[in-house]
């Protein structure tokens, strides 16, 4: 029997969340690509007893979704199949969908609260918003959406497209030049992965305590701290003791100038606040990058 299931349990956030729940004594069903949530039209046996299901699976990044939009469409179709299988199950579990902060209308002044207008401009965020729509319309589930800021922390993949912090710290460790897309005034909201996993753990406890009715349909999870690429580069230099050279390329057409979340609602309904400052999070991530390099390839 499982009280919780994490779909995407070997991913960046999924692995952190599964550990957090397990440490808290929660029975967790870990759903991965090797043990998919739905086979044909049949729900995986591990999901049938789950009262709270965290849907964190994705096969694309924002950049790869622009290049291969059919993959983003496939993610939406897979989520639709999952919801249909749950409907036939008839147990009405809570489904917590990891969505993106990038779905808010860039014409509106940030920071964005949850009721800010939505107008996704990227293929990736358009797909996430369609998944939100499907979840809201689904029968037989209790829906909740988490709109997530840019996550970073130990264990993040370092390839291009998986986050500027992991990419830059790895470049600093290897003595390479930093690759910067856009100018240094571009602003992002970076949330440490442990803080994001703690927020989702709080969601689980609220749902299990029967407090689901106190939760809104959508919650923002971020740091609420505006970080420009220029400030990020200076912070990385302070943490690593290195000042790498920078290769700057123009911003991509689908990149917005500023993305910043208002996270007050999560504080009110969950009692959650981001606990990790940017400097502290960078120190922990830098230590993990250095440790991974010392242990050899394949450990990061």
């Amino acid at each position: 029997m499982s009280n919780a299931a994490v779909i995407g349990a070997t991913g960046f956030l999924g692995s952190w969340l599964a550990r957090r729940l397990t440490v808290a004594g929660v029975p967790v069903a870990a759903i991965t690509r090797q043990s998919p949530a739905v086979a044909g039209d049949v729900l995986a046996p591990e999901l049938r007893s789950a009262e709270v299901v965290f849907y964190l699976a994705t096969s694309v990044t924002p950049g790869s979704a622009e290049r291969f939009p059919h993959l983003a469409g496939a993610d939406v179709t897979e989520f639709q199949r999952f919801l249909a299988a749950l409907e036939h199950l008839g147990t009405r579990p809570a489904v917590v969908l990891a969505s993106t902060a990038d779905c808010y209308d860039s014409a509106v002044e940030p920071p964005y609260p949850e009721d800010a207008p939505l107008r996704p401009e990227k293929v990736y965020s358009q797909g996430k918003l369609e998944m939100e729509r499907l979840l809201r319309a689904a029968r037989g589930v209790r829906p909740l959406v988490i709109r997530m800021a840019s996550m970073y922390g130990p264990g993040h993949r370092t390839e291009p497209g998986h986050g500027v912090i992991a990419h830059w710290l790895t470049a600093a460790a290897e003595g390479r030049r930093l690759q910067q897309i856009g100018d240094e005034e571009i602003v992002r909201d970076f949330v440490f992965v442990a803080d994001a996993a703690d927020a989702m753990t709080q969601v689980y406890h609220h749902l299990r305590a029967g407090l689901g009715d106190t939760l809104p349909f959508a919650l923002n999870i971020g740091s609420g701290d505006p970080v420009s690429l220029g400030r990020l580069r200076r912070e990385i230099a302070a943490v690593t003791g290195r000042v790498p050279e920078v290769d700057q390329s123009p911003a991509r057409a689908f990149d917005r100038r500023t993305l910043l979340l208002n996270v007050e609602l999560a504080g009110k309904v969950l009692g959650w606040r981001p606990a990790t400052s940017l400097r502290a999070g960078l120190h922990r991530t830098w230590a993990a990058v250095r440790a991974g390099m010392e242990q050899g390839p394949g450990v990061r």
Side-chain angles (χ1 to χ4, degrees):
M1 296 288 287
S2 62
N3 289 331
V6 179
I7 299 177
T10 55
F12 180 41
L13 176 58
S15 59
W16 275 84
L17 176 59
R19 286 195 298 269
R20 279 287 195 271
L21 292 171
T22 300
V23 167
V26 178
V28 178
I31 307 298
T32 68
R33 293 184 191 278
Q34 287 68 43
S35 57
V38 181
D41 294 322
V42 179
L43 198 68
E46 304 95 311
L47 288 170
R48 295 172 190 171
S49 62
E51 298 176 63
V52 182
V53 180
F54 294 92
Y55 197 98
L56 313 182
T58 183
S59 60
V60 291
T61 66
S64 66
E66 294 296 321
R67 298 191 301 274
F68 309 107
H70 66 284
L71 295 179
D75 276 359
V76 174
T77 299
E78 190 65 22
F79 185 60
Q80 192 169 23
R81 291 177 60 241
F82 163 72
L83 292 175
L86 277 186
E87 181 181 331
H88 292 309
L89 188 63
T91 57
R92 200 171 180 267
V95 175
V96 183
L97 172 68
S99 187
T100 176
D102 207 25
C103 64
Y104 292 110
D105 188 347
S106 62
V108 175
E109 188 72 19
Y112 303 111
E114 288 82 353
D115 59 357
L118 303 174
R119 188 172 68 87
E121 299 171 10
K122 300 178 184 176
V123 172
Y124 179 83
S125 49
Q126 289 166 358
K128 288 294 188 182
L129 194 59
E130 176 61 13
M131 292 167 74
E132 288 191 22
R133 186 194 68 78
L134 290 169
L135 180 59
R136 188 190 285 272
R139 294 177 293 177
V141 303
R142 291 171 288 152
L144 177 63
V145 164
I146 302 295
R147 296 187 183 132
M148 198 73 68
S150 300
M151 277 183 298
Y152 73 100
H156 205 179
R157 293 175 63 179
T158 60
E159 303 94 323
H162 286 276
V164 63
I165 289 179
H167 186 54
W168 279 8
L169 286 175
T170 303
E174 295 175 349
R176 294 187 285 107
R177 298 170 68 91
L178 304 186
Q179 304 300 311
Q180 178 175 311
I181 300 175
D183 62 61
E184 66 177 17
E185 299 305 317
I186 287 175
V187 169
R188 291 293 178 265
D189 186 330
F190 296 105
V191 62
F192 192 62
V193 63
D195 290 346
D198 285 343
M200 287 198 158
T201 303
Q202 288 300 317
V203 165
Y204 169 82
H205 288 305
H206 270 64
L207 291 167
R208 282 281 292 155
L211 299 175
D213 291 341
T214 68
L215 300 179
F217 172 70
L219 279 174
N220 288 338
I221 297 299
S223 69
D225 178 20
V227 178
S228 69
L229 292 185
R231 175 187 164 193
L232 178 61
R233 196 169 66 242
R234 292 189 295 273
E235 291 280 358
I236 284 178
V239 166
T240 64
R242 307 176 186 191
V243 186
E245 298 292 324
V246 176
D247 289 331
Q248 183 176 332
S249 57
R252 298 166 295 191
F254 56 82
D255 285 329
R256 62 172 75 200
R257 295 286 302 170
T258 302
L259 184 56
L260 180 65
L261 291 178
N262 180 323
V263 296
E264 292 179 0
L265 186 57
K268 291 177 182 176
V269 300
L270 296 178
W272 173 86
R273 294 285 190 283
T276 309
S277 68
L278 178 65
R279 180 70 64 90
L282 289 176
H283 272 294
R284 290 178 63 180
T285 310
W286 174 241
V289 168
R290 294 292 302 276
M293 294 185 68
E294 290 172 1
Q295 293 174 38
V299 298
R300 293 198 298 274

